[in-house]
Every structure is written in C-alpha cells, then in structure tokens.
Amino acid sequence: MSSNKNWSADEEHSSKLVRKAKESPFVPIGMAGFLAVVAYGLYKMKSRGDTKMSIHLIHMRVKAQGFVVGAMTLGVIYSMYKQYLDPSKPGIMSGIMILRNKNFTY
C-alpha cells in the first residue's frame, strides 16, 4: 500500500468532514461544546470539594450531553427553516402561497 493512496484517503475524509460541516454547522459546534464542557469539568475536578468523584463525573456528563442535544435541536430548527420557511428559496411554503393566490373555478 503506497503512501500516496493513504494520503488521498485522508484527504477525502477531511473534505467530507468540511462538506458535512457546511451542510449542518451545528454538529461541529456541538462537538466543540462537548469537548469544552468535558475539559472544564476535568479542570474543576481538583477543586470539587467534598463532592464524590462519581457525582462530579455524572454532572459533567449531563452538562456535556445537554450541550450536544441543544446544538442538535438548533440544527434541526435551522434546517427546517431553510427547507420550509426561507423566503429566498422556493419551497413548500412558497408553493402554498402561489396556490392560494390563484383563482380556481370548479
């Protein structure tokens, strides 16, 4: 297996990651937020006081998952807006408005 073939495969994966990030920008935001919450939780582990380690880790996990779920929810809302309500693109809502404005005779 040549090194050029491995490099092109890595290049394809990176271009795929960039393309996916452009399509749904809230996924990398969720990943970055997850890493930030975990890093902050690990940093604060030194000064957790009398809190047990397991409780501290559970709270950190819940906060990190909450950030990811929030980012996913915002991503879904954004994609729904782009697909159905964006006035710059003709979509379902503009098609409904066109049908409403036409006078149909039966």
Side-chain angles (χ1 to χ4, degrees):
M1 189 176 273
S2 69
S3 63
N4 289 339
K5 189 173 182 181
N6 288 339
W7 177 255
S8 66
D10 290 339
E11 189 174 62
E12 291 171 2
H13 290 300
S14 64
S15 64
K16 182 178 178 180
L17 179 66
V18 169
R19 182 177 50 84
K20 290 288 188 177
K22 286 180 182 177
E23 289 174 1
S24 54
F26 288 97
V27 172
I29 291 171
M31 290 169 45
F34 176 82
L35 291 175
V37 169
V38 169
Y40 181 72
L42 291 174
Y43 174 74
K44 293 303 266 182
M45 192 177 291
K46 290 187 281 185
S47 63
R48 69 180 187 272
D50 293 336
T51 307
K52 287 184 175 181
M53 171 89 73
S54 62
I55 300 298
H56 180 74
L57 292 175
I58 288 171
H59 288 176
M60 184 174 56
R61 179 185 60 90
V62 168
K63 291 173 190 171
Q65 285 179 334
F67 195 94
V68 170
V69 168
M72 288 173 52
T73 303
L74 289 175
V76 167
I77 291 170
Y78 176 71
S79 67
M80 287 175 63
Y81 170 76
K82 279 179 42 179
Q83 187 174 5
Y84 296 115
L85 300 175
D86 192 8
S88 65
K89 290 184 179 179
I92 291 177
M93 291 305 288
S94 62
I96 291 172
M97 296 307 285
I98 290 170
L99 289 176
R100 279 189 189 166
N101 292 336
K102 292 193 177 208
N103 292 328
F104 289 108
T105 57
Y106 294 103

